[in-house]
Amino acid sequence: MKWMIPKQHGAWSMLILPFLLGGNVGGWKLAHIPFAIAWLFVYMGTFFLFQYVKQRKKSQELLRTVTLYLLIATIAALPVFLTEWRLIWFVFAMLPFGLVNAYFAKMKDERNVWNDVSAVTSFCIGGVASYYLGARVVDGTMVWLFVLPYFYFLGSIFYVKTMIREKKSQTYRNVSWGYHVLLVMAFIVLGNPLLALAYAPSLIRAIGFYGKQVPIMRIGIIEIANSVFVLICLSAYLYV
């Protein structure tokens, strides 16, 4: 059995930002520690499970890694769910999107934009679960905790497409630029300067980096820094 870590810079931001945002707004509890461990190993386990699914020649070593990761996730999650069983509803909400990701893995079409959108949906649901674990209430804040990170990650999907896989696509360029401009302008018009500020760096990098030869590693580092900025802005907005 081999210990492996997914080399997906964007996915790590999607995994961590909603979870931290939910805890920041809903309040941190000791239960967040095992919940974070479970969240981490569910992600790594399912990532490598999808790698296993698409393999023509199945790797037993990879399967052992998947089994161990999901076992760790289960052990970590068990006391959390025994304390707050209603978290199971968030698991049910994520399942359809996990099946979509499994389908695209089976088809070896993981770069499909709908696969990315499905993954973002699951990550944002996880952020809402993190909020619920702290706040123990179902309220309107949950909607914003889902929607606001979703806005950011959806823009990131379009941006990354224009920088790596769809460099020459005028359609993706127009969608990326148009989406980011509308997002910032919408919050300015609605009188939410903090939210406009949160997404402003995304607009700048979407237009400023387009057409330039930026190394993939640098794209990932910039996205992580941008995610930290977005987390700070969204936490300030929702906490108040």
Side-chain angles (χ1 to χ4, degrees):
M1 185 242 126
K2 181 188 291 186
W3 291 91
M4 297 179 287
I5 298 176
K7 297 178 180 178
Q8 300 286 330
H9 300 95
W12 283 107
S13 294
M14 294 176 187
L15 177 78
I16 296 171
L17 189 157
F19 186 90
L20 293 181
L21 181 62
N24 288 345
V25 179
W28 292 104
K29 307 292 184 182
L30 283 176
H32 273 96
I33 297 175
F35 193 52
I37 295 172
W39 186 232
L40 171 64
F41 279 94
V42 163
Y43 164 63
M44 294 199 298
T46 53
F47 176 86
F48 290 114
L49 175 60
F50 296 153
Q51 299 299 304
Y52 178 81
V53 165
K54 72 178 185 179
Q55 285 182 337
R56 187 182 296 265
K57 185 178 180 181
K58 304 299 185 184
S59 167
Q60 293 305 306
E61 182 177 45
L62 183 59
L63 182 60
R64 285 192 290 270
T65 298
V66 170
T67 302
L68 178 62
Y69 284 178
L70 294 181
L71 179 61
I72 292 172
T74 301
I75 294 172
L78 192 58
V80 182
F81 281 87
L82 288 175
T83 302
E84 183 47 79
W85 67 268
R86 294 173 184 84
L87 287 169
I88 195 67
W89 296 114
F90 296 98
V91 176
F92 290 149
M94 292 180 204
L95 277 177
F97 303 101
L99 292 175
V100 170
N101 294 139
Y103 167 79
F104 282 111
K106 182 66 175 178
M107 295 295 104
K108 299 183 180 180
D109 190 20
E110 293 157 298
R111 301 301 178 183
N112 190 296
V113 67
W114 292 110
N115 185 56
D116 295 334
V117 169
S118 182
V120 165
T121 304
S122 292
F123 287 133
C124 290
I125 292 172
V128 178
S130 178
Y131 167 80
Y132 178 79
L133 183 59
R136 302 294 175 94
V137 294
V138 175
D139 57 17
T141 302
M142 284 182 164
V143 176
W144 290 107
L145 279 165
F146 177 85
V147 169
L148 294 180
Y150 197 95
F151 285 159
Y152 167 60
F153 290 127
L154 187 59
S156 294
I157 291 172
F158 299 143
Y159 160 69
V160 171
K161 292 289 186 186
T162 65
M163 296 299 294
I164 301 177
R165 302 266 173 191
E166 303 289 347
K167 292 181 179 181
K168 298 180 180 180
S169 172
Q170 298 294 308
T171 299
Y172 268 106
R173 183 203 65 180
N174 294 339
V175 169
S176 176
W177 289 10
Y179 176 83
H180 285 94
V181 168
L182 287 174
L183 186 61
V184 173
M185 291 302 299
F187 285 116
I188 291 175
V189 171
L190 292 172
N192 288 309
L194 184 55
L195 292 182
L197 177 65
Y199 303 114
S202 299
L203 167 61
I204 294 170
R205 62 97 160 90
I207 296 176
F209 290 161
Y210 180 77
K212 294 182 171 57
Q213 296 297 321
V214 183
I216 293 178
M217 179 64 73
R218 186 175 299 176
I219 292 174
I221 292 172
I222 291 170
E223 283 306 287
I224 290 172
N226 194 22
S227 295
V228 172
F229 179 78
V230 170
L231 173 62
I232 292 170
C233 291
L234 297 188
S235 295
Y237 176 77
L238 291 172
Y239 189 77
V240 174

